[in-house]
Amino acid sequence: MMLPLETLQLLGFGPGGWGLPLLSAAGVTVFAAILGFGLGSALGVIGASLKLSRHIFPRLLGQTYTTVVRGVPEILIIYLFYFGGSLWLTGIMNIGGFDGFYSLPGLATGVIAVGVVSGAYQTEAFRSAYLRLDRGQIEAGRSCGMSRGLLLRRIIVPQTLHFALPALGNIWQSALKETSLLSVIGLTELLRQTGIAAGSTHQPLLFFSVAAAAFFLIGRITGRLVRRVEDHMNKPWRR
Amino acid sequence: MTSDLQQAARANTAAVPAISVDGLHKHFGTHEVLKGIDFQAHDGEVVSILGSSGSGKSTFLRCLNLLEMPSAGRLRILGEEVGMKKVGSSLVIADQRQVDRLRTQVAMVFQNFCLWHHMTVLENLMEAPVHVQRRVRGEVRDEALAMLERVGLQDRAGFYPAQLSGGQQQRAAIARALVMRPRALLFDEPTSALDPELVGEVLKVMRDLASEGRTMLVVTHEMGFARDVSSRIVFLEQGTIAATGSPRQLFGGGVSERFDQFVSRFNG
């Protein structure tokens, strides 16, 4: 049985304490999640525009993106990006005269992988939010002489965002948790760091509990933030 | 000297109809909704556009603001011909900027109000003048508040549309149209979506506007408004103007058998 004082030391910031590595790993997790989600938002907007296009080819492209990505396990997508990207990079380097195997940087690959997955879900969130727009809102803008750009900026984007926000909040939570899968490509995020700590201290239960608590906490705090934005954006719609 | 010039300018604009339409056709697919309409609205006229559903009256009104693109015909707003060019078998807008500029001159009031949900009433009123017409924000704000007072909503400036009754929303929508300083107002069944007890407050605002000499085109089912307020009736049937004239002529009966039948259904 572990004494509380010893536990504190293990998790602390003093000598033999895992506090600092864990904290910086949590930072990597949040950083990867934010960048991945951000990339996903960009992809989501593009994907939604493709799927809402009047023409068949862009629609098919968007359709393929969301169906394939959502139908394949996330961890496989991460592997495919990592190993596929590394082979590709190695090929280029070898052509350039640099021999040996080159692997992609873990963080960049991870962000892209999380982004691509998140983007597929965000595509659906943006698409269905756009479809909920009342056509009269757009007509009123056109009838006042608004240009396409103005209409987009002043009417369509704010209202679509309002409708998309609840779904985006859920997708953010998924993206946050998905970053733990990046441990498989060697990114020292929260899960991998706790794994290392658990291995070297033989205290797996302690460290994995800490990791779980950390994920939960980050999720709660960011969830609150999202809720606040949501409340703010909901204000006009309340009677 | 200056006043002479101003008077001359005024006389000149008075001669040019606010809206002028020649041979307006509109079809959706193979269904022909408007079959050649010739129409002019001069400054200060209040024209009620009547007709049973499917007669094309809403489509006609929407063509005047280019919310619907005519399939054929010419449209002039303030004497300026709206540029349209043929692509395949249909017309498209030739110069989007011209259309965007002219649209503020023929402001639309919709059946479902169509106030922007995410903006307060005041923001709704200021949106087009500030962002489309690029007028000075402070001046627009003063004018918008004055307009709200005109329609009796001075204490609702900071409210969101969802917090207003239907009648209040429609009055705000009318104020939104007015702040753009349009040459003509187009009303597309402005009271049809309202509970009966809220129709009166909107009609009162419209009567006041008419008595001020505003140019108004009103698609409506309110026979009282058409008879008492409008200076001219246009009766549409199956995409053509079946009868037109002063309310006294038409409602007096005997001018158009079809119109008499149409009216009798309302009085039935």
Side-chain angles (χ1 to χ4, degrees), chain A residues 137 139 142 154 159 236, chain B residues 62 103 115-118 127:
Chain A
Q137 299 283 303
E139 270 196 351
R142 284 174 59 209
R154 301 289 307 172
Q159 294 205 7
Chain B
R62 289 164 59 84
R103 272 176 165 160
L115 291 171
W116 295 300
H117 300 312
H118 62 300
E127 182 65 23

Side-chain angles (χ1 to χ4, degrees), chain A residues 73 168 189:
Chain A
L168 290 180
E189 46 64 71

Side-chain angles (χ1 to χ4, degrees), chain A:
Chain A
M1 189 68 198
M2 163 86 65
L3 286 170
L5 187 65
E6 245 173 281
T7 312
L8 276 179
Q9 269 172 354
L10 269 181
L11 298 175
F13 294 87
W18 287 86
L20 202 59
L22 287 181
L23 204 62
S24 72
V28 171
T29 289
V30 172
F31 188 67
I34 289 175
L35 287 188
F37 184 82
L39 175 65
S41 298
L43 291 174
V45 168
I46 295 170
S49 326
L50 288 175
K51 279 190 123 173
L52 290 164
S53 167
R54 262 177 297 172
H55 306 286
I56 179 85
F57 182 68
R59 268 212 313 278
L60 271 176
L61 201 67
Q63 188 72 46
T64 311
Y65 168 50
T66 53
T67 331
V68 169
V69 170
R70 293 194 302 169
V72 175
E74 283 98 357
I75 197 156
L76 260 175
I77 291 173
I78 293 168
Y79 276 139
L80 288 173
F81 266 91
Y82 185 66
F83 293 114
S86 297
L87 276 179
W88 190 66
L89 183 67
T90 303
I92 289 177
M93 295 302 270
N94 290 354
I95 288 169
F98 300 93
D99 287 337
F101 184 79
Y102 294 87
S103 61
L104 284 182
L107 182 64
T109 320
V111 165
I112 293 172
V114 170
V116 165
V117 173
S118 188
Y121 291 94
Q122 291 192 47
T123 294
E124 292 308 318
F126 285 126
R127 192 185 72 97
S128 59
Y130 179 82
L131 291 177
R132 277 181 63 190
L133 275 187
D134 173 15
R135 298 298 106 178
Q137 299 283 303
I138 296 171
E139 270 196 351
R142 284 174 59 209
S143 81
C144 293
M146 285 192 181
S147 63
R148 270 204 70 77
L150 198 59
L151 203 58
L152 203 67
R153 191 157 52 83
R154 301 289 307 172
I155 313 291
I156 297 175
V157 168
Q159 294 205 7
T160 305
L161 216 54
H162 159 80
F163 289 128
L165 209 56
L168 290 180
N170 289 333
I171 296 170
W172 158 255
Q173 299 288 342
S174 308
L176 180 65
K177 289 190 283 181
E178 249 158 51
T179 57
S180 63
L181 298 175
L182 301 178
S183 57
V184 300
I185 56 169
L187 183 69
T188 316
E189 46 64 71
L190 199 49
L191 185 66
R192 185 167 167 82
Q193 190 61 267
T194 42
I196 294 169
S200 54
T201 59
H202 302 293
Q203 295 285 346
L205 186 60
L206 170 67
F207 280 101
F208 287 130
S209 302
V210 167
F215 269 111
F216 180 74
L217 217 65
I218 297 168
R220 272 302 286 262
I221 293 167
T222 50
R224 282 253 169 102
L225 280 173
V226 173
R227 181 92 54 79
R228 272 200 139 141
V229 178
E230 229 173 279
D231 274 351
H232 177 74
M233 292 193 85
N234 272 338
K235 214 172 108 195
W237 269 264
R238 271 197 298 268
R239 274 156 212 280

Side-chain angles (χ1 to χ4, degrees), chain B residues 142-184:
Chain B
D142 292 344
E143 198 171 323
L145 288 170
M147 279 310 168
L148 282 179
E149 198 163 345
R150 286 267 323 268
V151 299
L153 291 173
Q154 59 276 19
D155 54 344
R156 292 289 184 272
F159 282 51
Y160 287 101
Q163 299 167 318
L164 304 184
S165 73
Q168 290 172 329
Q169 286 189 55
Q170 193 59 297
R171 283 186 280 146
I174 293 171
R176 173 174 72 175
L178 289 171
V179 183
M180 292 194 289
R181 298 177 178 166
R183 187 75 167 269

